[in-house]
Amino acid sequence: MTAIHSKYADFEGLRAQAVALRREGLSRRQIRQRLEIHNNDTLSRLLEGEPPPEWTKRPNAKDGTRLKARELRAQGFTYDEIQAQLGVSKASISAWVRDLPKPAPRWTNIEKMQRLEEAHSAFRASRDEERRQLTSDAFQQVGDISGRELLLLGAALYWAEGTKDKTYARRESLTFINSDVGMIRTYVRWLELLGVARHRMRCSLHIHDSADLADATRFWSEVTGVPAEDFLKPCIKRDNAGTSRLNRGEGYRGCLRIRVANSARLYRQVEGWWGGIAAGVASTLR
């Protein structure tokens, strides 16, 4: 028999020593050191049924939280409400209050739906106000636009939305189409900066046949300053009644296409401006 086995041969005697030391107030570590026991399972068997001394017990940090959870549950609070107040998991709440009777519902199903809708409405209103404030703050940051800023802005705007010359399709002229009123106004103001007179702006509508063509023409005429009678023949798109389109209704006025006559030279300038913008931005990133 090895030394370690001989030491544990008298289990009952060893247990009596361990229990006596435990009752003297020693911790498990102190008992292991005193009896030279290095196996936790063996020590647990020796001390089975023997409670630890009070000084070794750690205070439970959640005792106060558990008592508060029980108080709230007794008052009729739900798990979600208790979790919101105490910041603990539902699993912990369930373990603490499962012996308490389930509280009666405080609201009917209709009342619950009404409260939920009120909460959603308040949340949506808060988000809408936040969006409005962000938009307003951003608007104020812009301020006045200088001529140089408009020149660069218009070049970038055109290169994003206007038609461009291709080696397989020569288009050396300025042609721009969009439905956004602010964008059209900005584009027309940019053309003015470049010295393009109204009579060189060839306007035409791209619009569905379900819209009011005369009203749309008057609208875009006012936006651009180009007389309605000078508008070119519109491009009418047949409206398929079976298609679910969102651009219907009173506010729909189609897209406005503006082609600048005799603008090949101007187009090449725009191409150069955009190239300068792109190169300038690239140089700042090096």
Side-chain angles (χ1 to χ4, degrees):
M1 180 180 294
T2 63
I4 189 70
H5 285 169
S6 62
K7 182 189 293 185
Y8 298 157
D10 184 9
F11 181 83
E12 291 302 326
L14 192 60
R15 171 175 164 75
Q17 295 180 57
V19 169
L21 293 174
R22 190 61 154 170
R23 292 177 180 176
E24 290 177 17
L26 273 65
S27 67
R28 288 174 63 94
R29 177 178 294 181
Q30 292 170 328
I31 295 172
R32 276 203 308 268
Q33 293 173 345
R34 184 76 63 86
L35 299 181
E36 298 183 358
I37 298 172
H38 306 295
N39 187 293
N40 280 327
D41 290 339
T42 300
L43 182 60
S44 295
R45 289 172 56 205
L46 293 172
L47 295 175
E48 186 175 359
E50 193 65 24
E54 289 298 323
W55 73 268
T56 64
K57 295 180 180 179
R58 294 180 180 179
N60 191 335
K62 288 190 175 181
D63 279 348
T65 306
R66 181 179 61 83
L67 292 175
K68 183 62 178 177
R70 292 180 65 84
E71 291 176 5
L72 294 174
R73 186 61 169 175
Q75 295 171 22
F77 283 71
T78 65
Y79 281 16
D80 287 334
E81 292 168 333
I82 297 173
Q83 183 182 40
Q85 285 207 29
L86 303 183
V88 295
S89 69
K90 289 185 180 180
S92 295
I93 296 171
S94 175
W96 295 337
V97 306
R98 66 180 56 169
D99 60 309
L100 298 178
K102 184 177 180 179
R106 283 183 284 176
W107 302 288
T108 65
N109 288 336
I110 294 178
E111 289 172 335
K112 288 179 181 178
M113 293 301 295
Q114 290 174 340
R115 288 172 61 85
L116 184 63
E117 180 57 32
E118 290 171 0
H120 284 173
S121 296
F123 176 75
R124 288 193 294 267
S126 174
R127 291 295 300 273
D128 289 343
E129 178 57 31
E130 181 182 3
R131 293 187 184 99
R132 283 191 293 270
Q133 188 61 51
L134 286 171
T135 302
S136 176
D137 291 345
F139 181 93
Q140 297 300 325
Q141 289 174 355
V142 176
D144 295 333
I145 302 293
S146 68
R148 172 178 168 76
E149 289 170 338
L150 179 58
L151 175 68
L152 301 181
L153 174 63
L157 182 65
Y158 183 86
W159 213 251
E161 295 292 324
T163 59
K164 273 127 353 233
D165 183 40
K166 307 291 183 183
T167 56
Y168 53 84
R170 311 311 304 191
R171 297 191 184 95
E172 290 185 299
S173 65
L174 297 184
T175 303
F176 185 88
I177 183 169
N178 212 272
S179 63
D180 186 89
V181 177
M183 197 169 288
I184 292 293
R185 284 200 175 103
T186 301
Y187 180 67
V188 170
R189 180 67 187 88
W190 178 67
L191 291 178
E192 290 177 345
L193 179 70
L194 302 182
V196 177
R198 290 293 192 280
H199 70 270
R200 291 178 58 194
M201 299 181 194
R202 306 288 195 261
C203 297
S204 60
L205 282 175
H206 287 234
I207 194 166
H208 285 268
D209 60 2
S210 59
D212 187 334
L213 178 60
D215 177 70
T217 302
R218 284 191 298 269
F219 174 81
W220 288 116
S221 174
E222 292 174 1
V223 169
T224 61
V226 176
E229 57 270 20
D230 291 345
F231 273 48
L232 302 178
K233 182 179 179 180
C235 175
I236 306 295
K237 301 177 183 180
R238 188 174 297 279
D239 193 17
N240 186 348
T243 302
S244 178
R245 286 178 37 241
L246 297 180
N247 57 343
R248 298 175 184 264
E250 187 176 339
Y252 172 67
R253 296 184 177 90
C255 294
L256 182 66
R257 180 177 182 267
I258 304 176
R259 182 179 64 83
V260 178
N262 303 318
S263 56
R265 181 181 177 84
L266 189 53
Y267 175 86
R268 288 304 168 195
Q269 287 182 291
V270 174
E271 186 177 44
W273 291 329
W274 170 248
I277 293 171
V281 171
S283 67
T284 64
L285 301 177
R286 292 174 185 168

